[in-house]
Amino acid sequence: MKPPFRIAVLECAQPLPSVQEKYGTYGDIFRVLLQSGADTLGMPEVVSSKKGLEVSKWDVVYKQEYPSLEDVDAVLMSGSQFTAFHDDPWILKLVDYTKKILAQRRVRVIGVCFGHQIIARAMGAKVGQNADGWEIAVTPMDLTAKGKELFKVDRLNIHQMHRDIAFEHPEGVEALGSSPVCSVQGMYAKGRLISVQGHPEFNQEIETIIIKARHAQGIFTDALFEDAMGRVGKHHDGAEVSAAFLRFLLED
């Protein structure tokens, strides 16, 4: 695949109001992430924050709008506060759309958190709530050999915000990494898909807003909140993950 990359961000949720006021919707947030990844890639003659990226955004929850596959080169599915294994009509529609992408060989799919789980579900893997509980804030991810090759680091630090997980790797994908709380932290199939359970698009401010909101709602205990706030400001490798996404698109 050659630039310009026409990447459709499927917005599977809307950010909290204070996040949206400053950063826009998730399509806007991912555009910034992809631009950062393009510069991190270090191939300015091919793709950079200034050229080679055409990012569109699609509200698949409330408007249920989708791009035609003929008009895009890749689809990126965002995270969400919703549950990937539920059977709400819009979720079933998203799963069917994902199956349609995976059934062909030109358009590639990228999944993040909820999007990662939707890919797993579309490929027949079990997705559900993790009995080990929440994984939040910046967390180290142990990488497989393939994960190290794609992300260009020996260990990945990434923002997390999830309790649901994929319990298994679908047939035909390679594992990218794991953590003590979640064994399926990333998936890859050359020319078809790449996904991560974490949130490369989050920064310290976005993650902090979500942590504080969920603590105020009683979703996070005091102990969980304090632990997360102690890690939320640590270094994270969002740009490296984004560069891996683009490296994946550049593969033959």
Side-chain angles (χ1 to χ4, degrees):
M1 189 178 293
K2 295 181 179 180
F5 297 132
R6 300 171 298 168
I7 303 173
V9 177
L10 305 189
E11 297 179 323
C12 302
Q14 292 297 317
L16 291 172
S18 58
V19 173
Q20 191 165 167
E21 182 179 353
K22 182 172 182 179
Y23 295 100
T25 65
Y26 281 118
D28 302 310
I29 293 169
F30 274 105
R31 180 181 290 107
V32 171
L33 174 73
L34 291 166
Q35 290 171 341
S36 173
D39 288 340
T40 298
L41 193 61
M43 301 172 65
E45 72 285 357
V46 177
V47 62
S48 73
S49 58
K50 303 299 183 183
K51 73 171 188 177
L53 294 172
E54 298 177 4
V55 182
S56 60
K57 56 183 183 178
W58 303 79
D59 179 351
V60 299
V61 182
Y62 303 105
K63 296 181 180 178
Q64 295 193 32
E65 295 178 338
Y66 288 83
S68 168
L69 295 186
E70 289 75 23
D71 296 331
V72 298
D73 301 308
V75 168
L76 189 160
M77 289 187 285
S78 79
S80 180
Q81 76 271 28
F82 298 108
T83 304
F85 56 89
H86 281 179
D87 291 335
D88 297 351
W90 76 267
I91 293 176
L92 294 177
K93 185 175 181 180
L94 179 61
V95 172
D96 286 343
Y97 183 80
T98 305
K99 289 178 179 179
K100 181 180 176 182
I101 300 173
L102 293 170
Q104 51 81 68
R105 285 295 185 269
R106 189 186 68 81
V107 178
R108 303 180 185 185
V109 61
I110 301 168
V112 170
C113 194
F114 175 89
H116 160 84
Q117 296 163 15
I118 289 290
I119 294 171
R121 177 179 178 176
M123 297 184 75
K126 180 184 177 183
V127 177
Q129 191 174 103
N130 189 358
D132 290 332
W134 287 92
E135 187 173 40
I136 60 177
V138 177
T139 303
M141 173 176 156
D142 293 321
L143 298 176
T144 63
K146 177 58 70 173
K148 292 176 183 179
E149 175 189 334
L150 290 175
F151 297 122
K152 305 300 183 187
V153 294
D154 290 329
R155 202 178 197 204
L156 196 72
N157 293 299
I158 189 168
H159 282 287
Q160 300 277 3
M161 182 57 65
H162 71 104
R163 184 168 53 176
D164 298 340
I165 59 170
F167 286 97
E168 57 196 356
H169 293 89
E171 184 177 352
V173 307
E174 294 184 67
L176 297 183
S178 64
S179 71
V181 175
C182 175
S183 63
V184 184
Q185 283 283 355
M187 305 187 299
Y188 167 80
K190 184 175 181 179
R192 298 186 70 202
L193 68 94
I194 188 170
S195 67
V196 291
Q197 176 59 68
H199 284 277
E201 80 281 14
F202 283 0
N203 58 28
Q204 180 178 353
E205 183 178 18
I206 293 173
E207 179 92 6
T208 298
I209 289 170
I210 298 171
I211 291 169
K212 288 182 175 179
R214 293 188 172 181
H215 179 242
Q217 293 165 348
I219 297 171
F220 295 159
T221 64
D222 290 346
L224 188 60
F225 170 76
E226 291 167 6
D227 175 63
M229 290 302 293
R231 290 181 288 107
V232 72
K234 291 188 174 182
H235 168 77
H236 74 101
D237 297 309
E240 285 72 16
V241 175
S242 177
F245 290 167
L246 296 176
R247 206 172 283 119
F248 157 72
L249 295 182
L250 284 165
E251 291 174 340
D252 294 332

